[in-house]
Amino acid sequence: MVALPTLIPLSEAARKYGLEEDRLRQLVEKGRIRAGVLPGSDEVLVSEDEVRGEAIQEKGLRKEDLPEYQKHAHLKGKPIWISKAARDYQIPHPTIVRWVKAGYIKQLGLDGNKVLVDEADVAYCSEIYRQRGRQGRILFNPDGTPYKPKTGPLAM
């Protein structure tokens, strides 16, 4: 089945991503954010992914500011070695190594031959990987925020 966009109320999107409701309405009118209205209701629903993308562009949000990262913020600074992270989060070992080299996952140090990384970063990357990942897909922008393709089901 094709990945469908997650729709949330405009007011909730504005609060969650720190944008003005009027600004979101303008973006809907310009066609930059998909929106809809439920029958029998005046409440406007907007695509959460598109609102997140606009918030990242307008406010310069970092990955640490995103709700996907905030879910795992309690793990910030907790070391985990790459092999254990690969087992625990069921992500291929080479993928995690590539994310560390790219800077999406912070390396905390070494313990003998074990490379210790930040578990919060691993959990965040794992969540994005589960949402969007398939072999050969770009998942992250250079700053670690989720990549938004120009075409396909995740595009605007």
Side-chain angles (χ1 to χ4, degrees):
M1 186 168 150
V2 176
L4 298 173
T6 302
L7 300 176
I8 60 175
L10 186 126
S11 57
E12 181 183 335
R15 179 188 49 75
K16 190 172 185 178
Y17 294 101
L19 297 170
E20 296 291 325
E21 285 188 38
D22 291 338
R23 176 68 181 137
L24 286 179
R25 288 183 198 283
Q26 289 173 357
L27 293 170
V28 167
E29 289 171 9
K30 290 180 182 177
R32 293 195 37 195
I33 296 176
R34 284 181 286 184
V37 178
L38 289 176
S41 170
D42 290 338
E43 186 169 37
V44 176
L45 301 176
V46 293
S47 168
E48 184 171 15
D49 286 340
E50 292 173 6
V51 171
R52 180 185 307 112
E54 290 296 330
I56 289 170
Q57 281 182 344
E58 286 189 17
K59 299 184 80 175
L61 291 179
R62 303 169 306 143
K63 71 178 183 180
E64 290 83 2
D65 300 327
L66 299 175
E68 292 91 350
Y69 194 92
Q70 291 299 319
K71 280 193 235 178
H72 309 291
H74 65 283
L75 298 171
K76 185 80 173 149
K78 182 179 176 191
I80 185 172
W81 63 90
I82 292 176
S83 296
K84 181 168 176 22
R87 282 192 307 273
D88 290 356
Y89 290 93
Q90 298 177 347
I91 305 280
H93 185 277
T95 300
I96 295 177
V97 170
R98 213 171 25 257
W99 290 343
V100 171
K101 286 182 180 175
Y104 309 139
I105 296 176
K106 183 178 179 187
Q107 182 175 334
L108 298 178
L110 297 171
D111 181 15
N113 289 334
K114 297 176 185 174
V115 176
L116 299 174
V117 295
D118 190 332
E119 189 168 0
D121 290 343
V122 173
Y124 162 74
C125 290
S126 163
E127 183 166 330
I128 301 300
Y129 178 83
R130 298 261 179 274
Q131 289 174 2
R132 305 171 181 207
R134 289 201 312 252
Q135 189 171 2
R137 297 282 193 257
I138 297 173
L139 296 178
F140 302 103
N141 292 317
D143 64 356
T145 57
Y147 174 75
K148 185 173 182 198
K150 293 180 180 29
T151 61
L154 294 175
M156 185 162 51

